[in-house]
């Protein structure tokens, strides 16, 4: 199986690079944000085809009852607040008739048994990470508590959707979606966990 691993930054998968090279698995560092991810991934896929794309990284999580550093499988992701304001109301892009804001993973049936123990979540992809109490309170009203926030996820799902290529997204929670408090972040632990998961998952795929 020809696999591409996609991450926004090198530190998120640096611990796995030598492993991926030994397994003959390609990896792509796109840069931060939807625009960089869409461009770099689109450019790469124009000259390469894959049986599976795996997007990995860290993310903020809305549910403060869950411990940080846990790895989640993101089943769907969306371009957060993609649409228009109409006075006090928000009109999503779907209602405007100009496209979609949400995209889902495209799974592979024979790999499902490998993922049965991984908790699932929904994703939002943002240009501005939430850090304002009022905005976070509104987000809690609108989204399930097991929502993960990244700046790239939906761009990977979108590109994979356009290429009709199976795609998974896995994220380790590095912080809560809350006013910024770097002392409470668990970035190193989240990176360690996502790399441990990635290597284990790739290893199991290669056996099947």
């Amino acid at each position: 199986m020809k696999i591409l691993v996609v991450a926004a930054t090198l530190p998120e998968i640096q611990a796995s690079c030598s492993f991926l090279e030994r397994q003959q698995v390609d990896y792509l560092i796109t840069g931060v944000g939807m625009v960089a991810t869409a461009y770099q991934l689109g450019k790469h896929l124009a000259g390469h085809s894959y049986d599976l794309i795996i997007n990995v990284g860290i993310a903020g999580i809305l549910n403060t009852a869950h411990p940080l550093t846990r790895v989640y499988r993101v089943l769907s992701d969306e371009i957060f607040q993609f649409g228009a304001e109409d006075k006090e109301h928000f009109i999503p892009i779907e209602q405007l008739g100009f496209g979609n804001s949400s995209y889902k993973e495209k799974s592979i049936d024979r790999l499902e048994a490998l993922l049965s123990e991984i908790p699932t979540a929904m994703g939002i992809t943002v240009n501005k990470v939430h850090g304002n109490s009022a905005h976070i309170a509104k987000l809690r009203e609108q989204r399930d508590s097991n929502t993960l926030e990244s700046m790239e996820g939906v761009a990977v799902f979108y590109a994979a959707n356009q290429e009709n290529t199976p795609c998974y997204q896995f994220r380790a929670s590095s912080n809560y979606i809350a006013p910024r408090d770097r002392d409470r972040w668990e970035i190193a632990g989240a990176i360690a966990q996502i790399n441990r998961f990635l290597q284990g998952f790739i290893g199991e795929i290669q056996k099947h």
Side-chain angles (χ1 to χ4, degrees):
M1 176 179 286
K2 193 172 181 182
I3 303 170
L4 175 67
V5 173
V6 179
T9 66
L10 179 58
E12 287 173 288
I13 62 164
Q14 192 161 25
S16 295
C17 288
S18 60
F19 168 83
L20 295 173
E21 290 164 3
R22 289 194 304 272
Q23 297 293 322
Q24 298 184 315
V25 171
D26 291 351
Y27 58 88
L28 177 69
I29 307 300
T30 63
V32 174
M34 282 181 277
V35 173
T37 298
Y39 172 75
Q40 293 294 345
L41 186 52
K43 181 180 178 182
H44 187 80
L45 292 177
H48 304 80
S49 61
Y50 293 93
D51 301 307
L52 175 63
I53 297 171
I54 303 174
N55 178 213
V56 295
I58 59 176
I61 187 168
L62 197 58
N63 193 335
T64 57
H66 286 185
L68 295 178
T69 77
R70 181 178 290 173
V71 174
Y72 295 86
R73 172 186 179 182
V74 181
L75 298 179
S76 68
D77 208 321
E78 68 173 281
I79 309 170
F80 185 66
Q81 291 191 333
F82 185 30
E85 287 184 333
D86 181 10
K87 301 182 178 65
E88 302 303 317
H89 303 286
F90 175 73
I91 307 173
I93 198 71
E94 290 86 351
Q95 190 173 333
L96 291 171
F98 296 132
N100 298 308
S101 62
S102 182
Y103 294 88
K104 297 179 180 180
E105 72 166 25
K106 182 177 173 61
S107 61
I108 297 176
D109 289 344
R110 67 183 179 86
L111 300 183
E112 286 302 296
L114 303 178
L115 300 172
S116 60
E117 302 299 319
I118 305 300
T120 59
M122 301 301 169
I124 58 171
T125 301
V126 299
N127 287 316
K128 179 177 68 177
V129 172
H130 283 83
N132 177 284
S133 295
H135 295 165
I136 294 167
K138 189 171 183 179
L139 180 64
R140 289 186 180 281
E141 294 175 359
Q142 298 172 339
R143 296 293 186 275
D144 181 89
S145 63
N146 281 351
T147 294
L148 293 176
E149 176 182 72
S150 79
M151 301 182 84
E152 299 85 21
V154 75
V156 181
F157 275 170
Y158 175 82
N161 180 278
Q162 294 297 106
E163 296 294 315
N164 196 30
T165 300
C167 181
Y168 291 106
Q169 179 185 170
F170 302 102
R171 300 242 169 212
S173 57
S174 58
N175 59 279
Y176 296 116
I177 300 176
R180 291 174 71 85
D181 182 357
R182 295 180 67 91
D183 291 337
R184 297 187 64 194
W185 294 358
E186 296 284 352
I187 292 177
I191 288 175
Q193 290 294 341
I194 197 63
N195 280 275
R196 186 175 294 112
F197 168 79
L198 176 62
Q199 293 180 34
F201 185 46
I202 295 290
E204 289 298 320
I205 291 175
Q206 303 291 42
K207 294 177 184 177
H208 287 65

